[in-house]
Amino acid sequence: MYGWIWRHLPGNAWVRSIIALALILAVVYALFQYVFPWAEPLLPFGDVTVDGASAGGAGAGQ
Amino acid sequence: MSVRLVVRTFSELCITVGALIVLFVVYFLFWTGVKAADAAEGEIDTLQSRWAREPVAPAPPPPSASTEPSAPAPYRDGKPFATMHIPRFGSGWEWPVLENTEVRTLQKGLGHYSGTARPGDTGNFAVAGHRRTYGDPFKDFPKLRPGDAVVVNDGTTWFTYRIAKRPYRTVPTDTAVVDPVPRGSGFESDGRYLTLTTCEPEWGSSHRLIAWAHLDATRPVSEGKPPELAD
């Protein structure tokens, strides 16, 4: 997988390293900005309210 | 040859999943706190600039007139309307209180249970907050003791509530703890109460931790901070 990506990046080793670093940063940014905020409410840590609902959703209020 | 490919791909997948988990933990334990501190500061700034524009009411409504006929405007969903200070959690502990208890609201501060009383009113002013992540506002919740002050500022009045008893552990469906006369609190008749709720255990969601307080004193903001907040 990673070998395949590396072989398909253009340029010499330096250019490839820089592109790879940029790709990693882009992936981390996407995770922090979009994926994790979406996934986080699915975990139970946000349940701080008493709401009579099942434990699945985090505090939908009264 | 192909075995080699399978093994290599499998190990790469394992590394990827491991890295994802580490990143998620960093996000969860660290980044949510950064986001929440930023959001809470923004909400408090919003409140303070709103309060700076509005004239301060000359005097808070006297306690007997809390159910006055001219009902105040309802709080706007997801918007801040007060700040809360709990000296037990640290002298700099200040969080905005926002209307409703939805996930997105609680990521920016404390959430007021819609439909419960307003600060200082007869009934139960109920507020939920995160114990862990999103700035850990209620991290020290179990340290609350009877007599501790919970101070709420709604822009015109400082309301000082006093914790009535040690935090009470209950199940998530026990909605009677935010009733006007909360069940389990030891309060028996109508009064001006405050309820705080958070999760229990610290990192779990099987139970809730509840703290009750009753109104002890009010003070117009024009007279400055209440003595509980003097440092």
Side-chain angles (χ1 to χ4, degrees):
Chain A
M1 179 168 61
Y2 294 121
W4 184 89
I5 294 173
W6 181 258
R7 281 193 300 279
H8 283 74
L9 290 175
N12 60 25
W14 279 106
V15 176
R16 288 181 186 192
S17 309
I18 292 166
I19 296 173
L21 197 65
L23 279 177
I24 291 169
L25 288 177
V27 169
V28 171
Y29 175 82
L31 285 172
F32 271 59
Q33 197 66 26
Y34 305 107
V35 181
F36 291 157
W38 163 82
E40 190 264 326
L42 306 177
L43 288 161
F45 304 107
D47 296 343
V48 295
T49 58
V50 289
D51 54 13
S54 66
Q62 275 292 80
Chain B
M1 176 61 188
S2 76
V3 174
R4 197 188 172 96
L5 183 69
V6 169
V7 170
R8 191 173 62 201
T9 306
F10 178 72
S11 48
E12 282 181 349
L13 269 178
C14 289
I15 291 168
T16 307
V17 171
L20 268 181
I21 292 173
V22 169
L23 279 176
F24 185 73
V25 170
V26 170
Y27 167 83
F28 199 60
L29 299 190
F30 172 71
W31 193 245
T32 59
V34 174
K35 285 206 302 182
D38 196 42
E41 201 177 313
E43 300 294 340
I44 289 175
D45 284 349
T46 306
L47 273 178
Q48 283 174 344
S49 57
R50 189 203 299 162
W51 292 343
R53 283 196 309 272
E54 287 172 358
V56 172
S64 59
S66 66
T67 51
E68 57 201 3
S70 61
Y75 296 135
R76 286 174 53 207
D77 241 12
K79 299 293 177 201
F81 62 87
T83 60
M84 185 177 281
H85 310 253
I86 303 182
R88 170 69 73 183
F89 295 166
S91 57
W93 195 96
E94 179 185 26
W95 283 85
V97 185
L98 289 73
E99 179 66 5
N100 83 32
T101 52
E102 281 163 20
V103 175
R104 285 184 171 281
T105 306
L106 291 167
Q107 291 174 348
K108 294 182 270 189
L110 310 175
H112 171 233
Y113 285 82
S114 308
T116 66
R118 303 159 74 97
D121 278 1
T122 302
N124 193 353
F125 173 56
V127 173
H130 277 286
R131 182 146 168 211
R132 278 296 183 176
T133 73
Y134 288 100
D136 307 339
F138 282 162
K139 182 179 64 180
D140 295 324
F141 204 90
K143 293 185 186 160
L144 286 172
R145 289 295 175 267
D148 282 359
V150 178
V151 183
V152 178
N153 179 358
D154 73 349
T156 58
T157 310
W158 292 96
F159 300 96
T160 303
Y161 289 86
R162 295 278 168 198
I163 296 289
K165 56 187 267 189
R166 285 177 173 232
Y168 169 84
R169 188 167 177 268
T170 188
V171 292
T173 52
D174 186 8
T175 57
V177 297
V178 296
D179 278 353
V181 180
R183 189 174 72 199
S185 61
F187 300 139
E188 284 174 357
S189 58
D190 281 351
R192 298 157 205 284
Y193 303 129
L194 169 139
T195 303
L196 305 175
T197 74
T198 193
C199 63
E200 164 79 7
E202 201 166 357
W203 293 100
S205 66
S206 61
H207 289 77
R208 298 290 181 271
L209 216 51
I210 316 293
W212 290 291
H214 56 84
L215 189 63
D216 181 50
T218 63
R219 184 187 178 95
V221 286
S222 53
E223 288 179 17
K225 287 183 176 185
E228 288 76 12
L229 296 185
D231 32 30

